[in-house]
Amino acid sequence: MRFAFTEQQTEFRDAVRQVLTKVCTPDALRAAFDTPAARTERWTTLAEMGVVGLTVPEPQGGLGLDLLDLVPLLEEAGRSALPEPLIETTALAAPLLAAFESGQAVDWLERIASGEVTAAVAPVDVISRSVGSTAGEAAVPAAVGADLYILSSASGVHAVPSTDVTVTPVPSLDPTRRLGTIDWEPTTTTLIASGEDAREALAHLADRASVATAAELLGLADRMISIAAAYAKERNQFGKPIGSFQAVKHLLAGAQVKLEFARPAVYGAAWSLGQVELAGSPSGSRGASLAKAYASDAATEAARVSLQVHGAIGYTWECDLHLYLKRAWALAESWGSSADHRSRILASLVDELHQTQS
Amino acid sequence: MNNTTDGAMDLRFTPAQEEFRAEARHWLAANSPAPGSLPSLDTPHGFEAHRAWEQTMFADRWSVVSWPEEFGGRDVGILEWLIFEEEYWRIQAPVRVSQNGVFLLAPTMFEFGTDAQKARFLPPMASGEEIWCQGWSEPDAGSDLAGIRSRAERAPDDDGWLLTGQKTWASRGAYAEWCFGLFRTDPDAQRHRGLTYFLMAMDSPGVTVRPIPQIDGEPGFAEIFFDSVFVPDSQVLGGVGQGWSVAMATAGSERGLSLRSPARYTEAVSRLVSLYAERLDRDPARAARSADAVAQAWMDAEAYRLNTYWTACRVLAGGTVGPEASANKIHWSETDLAIYRAALGLLGPEAELTGGGGVAGNPWLDGFLFALAGPIYAGTNEIQRNVVAERLLGLPRA
Ligand SMILES: Cc1cc2nc3c(=O)[nH]c(=O)nc-3n(C[C@H](O)[C@H](O)[C@H](O)COP(=O)(O)OP(=O)(O)OC[C@H]3O[C@@H](n4cnc5c(N)ncnc54)[C@H](O)[C@@H]3O)c2cc1C
């Protein structure tokens, strides 16, 4: 057993952190709130570093790595509340396309790796593992302004170009979510997987999305706690830093403990999904659910606590905190809430128990 | 695939580790008493039955697998120890009556003990011949451990110390042969300074033990009175005046990796899931109301397992466990409570039933009462939250 990231993985993470600290500042986030965009200079920078094409196979210009390699980078994306769709494009769309290497998939993959394309992926219900909607009633994240849409219909999974869809924006608390409903007509030209292949792809998609989203939530939680801890050291009341008051300490410590235990849960799940024998298995899916539920709870607790520690200033538009809170709240409910994942875990455990008994 | 510190992440065990697991499983299946068959270890009879089990394990070198062979171990690493624990809890083998010794004192003794101390104390600790209790808390020094008043003065012949004072809440203290504890050797030094870590025989003249019945009615801990008890110099662990830092090593083991292995909780949650499934057939409405709590308890245990392996691999790569041990202690103690609270919720009106044989007759209730102490002992969870806030997050001390 070696349950740790490699030096290479941590070095890449550090490099991404360094870049995002410069190009994904709170001011940059405010600008993104004002004018949300799918492809930005930041996206190009990340593409040049190899981050965007990380999961794209090497022949198509990517690094050919997997979700486990991406997880530390997604944590960094979360820490900076990166507005661009790294989850959708790199964690979800690229591996899905790579699994069904048709001519059009290859073309899409090349364009993802070069940074020309961002993707939107219609959410799959993590419980039923079916798509919430084919006609586009459900709001799809990263939809407004995307180039590629991964959508499902009765016929299977489709990779649909923006020219074939009509996107109607849906307002979100976090405008960088770029939610939209999608109108489209399934055709055979866009079909990339059907039948059992499609069902399997959607099941994997739900697990991968849970883990990728969980990784961003880890970064968000860490950022919120560190913003609040820094504030608690510098804000004085009663002649002392508020961080010296035990009530304040215990709020932050509680959130920190949740975060510490969410981390290995996410890393372990990411590793499992990279193992042929575990990906899509009941235990692999339970691991993904654990990761998402734990990270969602850690992030919502970090959000609650960091706001409380700030007092009124945290409740203002002026304070940077809300930029992170809003993303955390949105991601905590996306790809299955923690309650959804708990219920998925329990159903799976009971199923397994019945199987071993019969 | 192995324990080296390079190479890609891999959560599988090596073939050698799987072989070790199979061997442990095989031996435990052949030798372990049936689950729940031993009387409570807090009764005189039960204490001896648990000691006999320790001796059985020791005879085949299973009582302290991670220790060097010369002291009765198998010299295996931390991952193998975790594997052994998984098998131990899977088969629901007896609670370790020797745990204060093997899990808390031993790691400290390996770090700070002299060769003579190791040779004298470790083998009988491993065999269960000598059971240890922990003498830290005093009536006026609980969370504020540095406030202890029990003192040690030089013996007239200058070959040891005379210990005077009172310790309390010493688990297993009612029957243990030996006690490790902190005493003030320098009355003028402030608080953390001037403390010394002693090893005391409980049958020394001047020691009086008064067992204290716990919440379940059994004398699980005891008060210990010391009246000019002679302790030779050879029974000072880690140097005179060094008691605080030696004690913190023991506390690190208590909160960190060694006292509570994850298997204890992962096995308990798998029984909890069985209970849930059984109740789902009998009383689906009640079961449904507990579903979320059952799933949460399963997650807490599984997250603990993953965090333990994560930490173990960090330690194997040369890392250390510092204030993270405090986060760990909060998590395991809260996990234990979450498991048994969920079970009582499933049992509903049956939760309070003991079956007439004392609390032990209802393992869920027994487990619940045991779990309630977790947030108190090994340093209360409030104190651990202070540590997390001050040492992991850098918040200022009050
Ligand atoms: C089952 C069991 C077994 C035990 N076994 C042993 C043993 O083998 N050996 C041994 O030496 N001791 C043992 N103990 C004692 C244990 O270590 C103490 O109970 C513990 O350290 C707390 O001390 P106290 O009970 O005096 O409580 P106090 O220190 O009086 O604390 C009471 C309450 O006040 C809170 N509090 C105190 N100070 C602070 C603070 N600074 N900030 C916030 N809150 C605070 C505590 O968290 C707690 O909630 C055992 C206890 C139990 C329950």
Side-chain angles (χ1 to χ4, degrees):
Chain A
M1 172 177 297
R2 183 181 184 279
F3 192 13
F5 287 104
T6 63
E7 216 168 293
Q8 239 176 342
Q9 285 164 332
T10 50
E11 275 167 11
F12 201 5
R13 179 199 65 197
D14 293 348
V16 169
R17 182 184 300 191
Q18 220 171 13
V19 167
L20 289 180
T21 311
K22 289 199 204 99
V23 303
C24 200
T25 59
D27 281 347
L29 287 178
R30 287 174 187 278
F33 262 53
D34 292 341
T35 42
R39 262 181 290 119
T40 58
E41 228 173 281
R42 225 175 359 247
W43 189 250
T44 310
T45 307
L46 290 174
E48 282 162 2
M49 290 182 79
V51 176
V52 173
L54 187 112
T55 57
V56 171
E58 281 172 294
Q60 281 87 54
L63 298 181
L65 299 174
D66 75 5
L67 183 62
L68 183 61
D69 301 285
L70 187 61
V71 155
L73 312 187
L74 288 166
E75 267 186 271
E76 293 312 318
R79 187 188 311 282
S80 305
L82 179 75
E84 287 78 23
L86 195 59
I87 294 179
E88 289 77 5
T89 309
T90 309
L92 305 181
L96 195 105
L97 291 163
F100 304 104
E101 269 190 51
S102 59
Q104 53 156 334
V106 166
D107 183 50
W108 281 122
L109 285 166
E110 282 170 354
R111 296 174 61 201
I112 286 175
S114 67
E116 287 165 64
V117 160
T118 70
V121 178
V124 178
D125 181 83
V126 295
I127 306 279
S128 65
R129 289 177 159 182
S130 62
V131 197
S133 156
T134 50
E137 295 130 27
V140 174
V144 178
D147 308 284
L148 162 67
Y149 295 81
I150 302 291
L151 305 170
S152 305
S153 71
S155 53
V157 182
H158 297 254
V160 186
S162 54
T163 46
D164 289 7
V165 301
T166 309
V167 178
T168 311
V170 175
S172 162
L173 178 65
D174 175 352
T176 68
R177 295 271 293 154
R178 293 182 294 106
L179 297 181
T181 55
I182 297 170
D183 261 320
W184 66 297
E185 284 303 323
T187 63
T188 46
T189 34
T190 57
L191 188 69
I192 54 168
S194 57
E196 190 47 42
D197 281 352
R199 258 191 303 282
E200 200 173 298
L202 292 180
H204 283 233
L205 193 66
D207 285 347
R208 292 178 66 87
S210 300
V211 175
T213 309
E216 278 211 14
L217 284 163
L218 293 181
L220 281 158
D222 201 52
R223 182 63 172 266
M224 292 183 283
I225 293 171
S226 65
I227 292 173
Y231 183 73
K233 285 177 219 174
E234 98 206 357
R235 165 79 174 165
N236 285 291
Q237 285 294 283
F238 302 96
K240 295 178 206 164
I242 56 167
S244 66
F245 301 129
Q246 198 171 63
V248 169
K249 281 183 184 165
H250 284 195
L251 282 177
L252 288 168
Q256 179 67 21
V257 173
K258 280 188 188 296
L259 171 59
E260 299 252 319
F261 280 82
R263 276 198 192 103
V266 175
Y267 305 155
W271 176 82
S272 296
L273 295 188
Q275 306 305 308
V276 199
E277 70 282 9
L278 289 174
S281 74
S283 107
S285 295
R286 284 196 297 268
S289 279
L290 167 68
K292 179 60 169 65
Y294 244 65
S296 295
D297 288 347
T300 48
E301 181 64 1
R304 179 185 82 82
V305 157
S306 57
L307 175 55
Q308 185 66 19
V309 165
H310 275 77
I313 191 73
Y315 201 68
T316 64
W317 194 267
E318 177 202 337
C319 178
D320 292 336
L321 186 65
H322 73 104
L323 303 168
Y324 306 93
L325 298 180
K326 288 170 180 171
R327 184 72 55 77
W329 290 324
L331 292 185
E333 306 307 322
S334 115
W335 294 100
S337 67
S338 54
D340 290 339
H341 282 284
R342 283 193 292 272
S343 115
R344 189 170 93 135
I345 285 171
L346 193 57
S348 158
L349 289 169
V350 170
D351 263 3
E352 199 165 81
L353 198 66
H354 287 150
Q355 269 160 28
T356 54
Q357 280 165 355
S358 62
Chain B
M1 284 296 265
N2 51 41
N3 303 338
T4 57
T5 50
D6 49 299
M9 187 183 291
D10 191 346
L11 272 71
R12 284 167 299 187
F13 294 106
T14 62
Q17 286 167 337
E18 292 296 359
E19 230 170 81
F20 176 79
R21 179 192 295 283
E23 200 186 340
R25 180 181 296 194
H26 180 79
W27 186 86
L28 286 163
N31 293 281
S32 175
S37 63
L38 302 190
S40 160
L41 86 170
D42 293 326
T43 62
H45 182 54
F47 193 83
E48 289 313 316
H50 282 78
R51 188 204 300 277
W53 164 239
E54 292 291 329
Q55 280 163 346
T56 305
M57 283 202 287
F58 177 72
D60 288 336
R61 289 195 302 120
W62 286 110
S63 70
V64 287
V65 290
S66 59
W67 291 16
E69 293 185 12
E70 59 173 314
F71 300 119
R74 291 172 178 248
D75 219 352
V76 297
I78 188 168
L79 295 174
E80 286 77 6
W81 175 70
L82 288 166
I83 290 170
F84 173 77
E85 286 280 307
E86 286 177 1
E87 295 307 317
Y88 195 88
W89 288 96
R90 183 197 307 277
I91 201 163
Q92 297 186 58
V95 177
R96 303 293 301 271
V97 65
S98 61
Q99 69 172 25
N100 287 312
V102 298
F103 294 150
L104 304 183
L105 176 57
T108 313
M109 196 173 270
F110 280 118
E111 191 176 344
F112 295 96
T114 62
D115 287 345
Q117 285 173 334
K118 288 184 223 170
R120 161 63 189 85
F121 292 111
L122 291 173
M125 185 191 296
S127 69
E129 197 180 320
E130 292 177 352
I131 307 278
W132 288 79
C133 66
Q134 182 182 39
W136 288 9
S137 305
E138 298 181 1
D140 289 327
S143 298
D144 187 12
L145 181 60
I148 60 165
R149 293 203 206 131
S150 294
R151 60 184 199 278
E153 286 157 0
R154 283 308 283 167
D157 291 344
D158 203 28
D159 54 350
W161 298 83
L162 294 177
L163 275 44
T164 299
Q166 180 187 353
K167 296 292 177 183
T168 190
W169 318 128
S171 300
R172 315 287 93 78
Y175 314 110
E177 281 81 21
W178 282 83
C179 177
F180 57 91
L182 280 184
F183 288 75
R184 196 164 287 288
T185 39
D186 181 351
D188 301 327
Q190 283 303 302
R191 304 212 2 117
H192 305 80
R193 297 194 199 90
L195 300 178
T196 299
Y197 198 121
F198 286 100
L199 311 172
M200 294 86 69
M202 296 286 277
D203 63 1
S204 311
V207 173
T208 310
V209 175
R210 197 155 70 201
I212 306 173
Q214 289 184 336
I215 205 165
D216 63 356
E218 304 292 355
F221 42 35
E223 282 177 299
I224 310 172
F225 300 87
F226 295 84
D227 183 6
S228 295
V229 174
F230 176 75
V231 175
D233 285 331
S234 60
Q235 289 169 211
V236 166
L237 186 63
V240 174
Q242 301 302 308
W244 185 259
S245 55
V246 183
M248 286 307 103
T250 307
S253 299
E254 195 168 12
R255 294 165 195 159
L257 277 178
S258 95
L259 181 66
R260 296 282 179 254
S261 79
R264 177 188 198 104
Y265 308 112
T266 52
E267 287 305 315
V269 288
S270 76
R271 292 197 296 281
L272 178 66
V273 170
S274 299
L275 178 69
Y276 169 78
E278 180 222 310
R279 297 285 151 155
L280 201 56
D281 291 340
R282 260 211 264 165
D283 188 352
R286 179 185 304 284
R289 289 192 290 273
S290 290
D292 203 55
V294 172
Q296 183 69 45
W298 182 88
M299 294 201 311
D300 291 344
E302 184 62 10
Y304 185 55
R305 185 180 72 83
L306 287 160
N307 189 65
T308 300
Y309 280 109
W310 177 256
T311 307
C313 288
R314 194 177 75 223
V315 169
L316 284 170
T320 52
V321 184
E324 297 85 1
S326 292
N328 200 53
K329 195 262 156 166
I330 293 169
H331 186 86
W332 61 246
S333 57
E334 290 185 349
T335 295
D336 207 19
L337 258 179
I339 294 169
Y340 290 94
R341 243 196 247 125
L344 297 193
L346 280 170
L347 292 175
E350 290 166 53
E352 68 173 298
L353 306 182
T354 61
V359 179
N362 179 346
W364 292 114
L365 188 56
D366 197 29
F368 174 67
L369 291 184
F370 182 79
L372 282 172
I376 301 174
Y377 64 77
T380 69
N381 285 9
E382 289 71 36
I383 297 296
Q384 304 317 313
R385 285 195 179 87
N386 292 348
V387 175
V388 169
E390 288 164 15
R391 294 187 49 209
L392 283 178
L393 297 174
L395 296 186
R397 302 183 71 102

